[in-house]
Amino acid sequence: MPDDSSKRVTDCVTRSRAVVLFGGLGDQVLWLSLLSAFRDRCGGRVMVLANKGGSRDLAEFFSGRSFDWLQEFETPPQVRLPQMVSHFQPEKVIRASHIFYDERERNHLISRFGIGISDIARIVLGIPTNAPMVEPSLPAACRLAAAERMKALGVPVGRTVLLSPWAHSWRCQLPDLWWEAAVKALSEKGFAVVCNVANRTRSIETRGSPVLPSIPGTIPVDIPVGEIIPFAEYCGYFLGMRSGLCDLLSRVNIGKIVVFPYADGIEAYLTGLPFDVACRFWSVSRAFHRDDIAEERVDARKPFDPAILSRWLD
């Protein structure tokens, strides 16, 4: 029998639109950013369903501006979830991920019109191609916690690089030696480097695991979702693999470089796309309309090239 929480969710769905946060950090950031336009288009109320942990924390940053109320759950609510969306009229219940949009239609739009990930989200939500995005709003407590963390680490404000060397979804990884060389070059330029170890083997939904191995020459950090934006602002710079963290930090006014590695023998890099198409479709700069994000395509077989830094740092 459904528990009380599931009954409340079902009752809410009958009176409004419901969006279930699904997938990694990047999908959630993108969809939450666009829900305000979706709510305006529907002319009704929008509820977000999120599980405890990082998803709920992230959703809180958009509460009241992108949706009307937030329902937390420990196990998936017992409401009907569509397996696939292949039309421009959203269901009453929407899974917040592009992978539920019909693959044939999606691939046709990508190959024929060169659309990106934010375009797919707008199509599923039925909102205009130029629909504005809402930025996350952080409480003062999050910024204070990030400032205290920086102080405890003893790294300089504005002269620290937040390194994010690993990604769950991108099929090609750079060897640790590449990152070690990057850290050495950054250190020689007078930067401190902290390494985001949380993304090595787990997602934002799991906390409390032992600290994972870091890149030599860096300080390992595992920053909660609520602190990562102000923490990056205090650092001043970000260098990382294409991952959901790039989406979350896309609108932070710091120096940002996103790396897209490639190598022989890999036919699909993300959701079945070849390298060039994947880079275009998953471009962070394009998705969030930010021309201050440097995006580098890097051959994983070659050593680190310091020219990447010269195109990025002051």
Side-chain angles (χ1 to χ4, degrees), residues 16-79:
S16 63
R17 301 278 183 174
V19 178
V20 182
L21 294 186
F22 176 90
L25 179 61
D27 280 316
Q28 298 178 36
V29 171
L30 180 62
W31 287 69
L32 286 165
S33 299
L34 290 170
L35 285 186
S36 177
F38 172 64
R39 183 173 61 175
D40 291 344
R41 168 190 144 356
C42 293
R45 307 187 75 190
V46 172
M47 173 180 64
V48 164
L49 291 83
N51 63 343
K52 290 183 177 180
S55 291
R56 177 189 170 85
D57 293 344
L58 180 61
E60 289 281 10
F61 300 152
F62 295 86
S63 182
R65 296 175 303 132
S66 290
F67 57 88
D68 298 288
W69 75 90
L70 177 65
Q71 175 68 46
E72 181 184 281
F73 60 85
E74 293 188 13
T75 57
Q78 297 181 21
V79 295

Side-chain angles (χ1 to χ4, degrees), residues 78-304:
Q78 297 181 21
V79 295
R80 184 179 70 86
L81 296 176
Q83 293 301 310
M84 190 64 64
V85 177
S86 60
H87 50 77
F88 293 0
Q89 177 64 32
E91 298 275 356
K92 292 286 286 184
V93 182
I94 301 171
R95 292 186 182 188
S97 175
H98 73 286
I99 65 172
F100 296 107
Y101 188 82
D102 183 84
E103 184 177 7
R104 290 171 300 177
E105 292 185 26
R106 183 177 74 224
N107 289 342
H108 173 72
L109 291 169
I110 293 171
S111 60
R112 178 69 175 82
F113 300 103
I115 67 171
I117 180 60
S118 64
D119 301 312
I120 285 286
R122 287 180 170 90
I123 288 172
V124 174
L125 292 173
I127 58 179
T129 57
N130 62 347
M133 290 185 175
V134 171
E135 295 193 24
S137 177
L138 277 65
C142 292
R143 299 190 179 278
L144 179 60
E148 290 295 330
R149 187 180 296 272
M150 285 287 292
K151 182 178 179 181
L153 290 170
V155 291
V157 172
R159 293 290 292 178
T160 297
V161 177
L162 174 59
L163 196 74
S164 184
W166 305 288
H168 292 295
S169 301
W170 196 258
R171 302 295 167 79
C172 181
Q173 305 289 322
L174 288 170
D176 283 2
L177 286 175
W178 191 95
W179 296 104
E180 288 178 33
V183 170
K184 183 175 183 295
L186 288 167
S187 299
E188 290 174 350
K189 291 180 176 292
F191 288 90
V193 184
V194 297
C195 181
N196 174 37
V197 297
N199 208 35
R200 186 154 199 170
T201 61
R202 62 187 193 276
S203 71
I204 65 168
E205 308 303 342
T206 54
R207 311 296 308 171
S209 300
V211 174
L212 298 168
S214 183
I215 297 296
T218 69
I219 301 172
V221 294
D222 185 356
I223 313 297
V225 172
E227 296 178 32
I228 193 68
I229 290 178
F231 182 80
E233 289 175 335
Y234 287 127
C235 287
Y237 295 88
F238 171 81
L239 169 61
M241 278 275 295
R242 177 60 175 103
S243 69
L245 182 57
C246 301
D247 298 89
L248 184 57
L249 300 180
S250 61
R251 291 166 286 188
V252 178
N253 293 320
I254 60 175
K256 300 179 290 284
I257 185 167
V258 177
V259 177
F260 292 83
Y262 63 91
D264 289 337
I266 302 176
E267 295 182 359
Y269 285 81
L270 197 54
T271 54
L273 300 176
F275 181 69
D276 287 344
V277 178
C279 290
R280 184 179 70 242
F281 180 75
W282 290 99
S283 167
V284 189
S285 173
R286 182 181 178 190
F288 293 92
H289 303 289
R290 297 286 302 209
D291 58 9
D292 62 341
I293 301 173
E295 296 183 327
E296 295 285 346
R297 302 182 182 190
V298 175
D299 189 338
R301 301 161 300 180
K302 295 183 178 180
F304 171 76

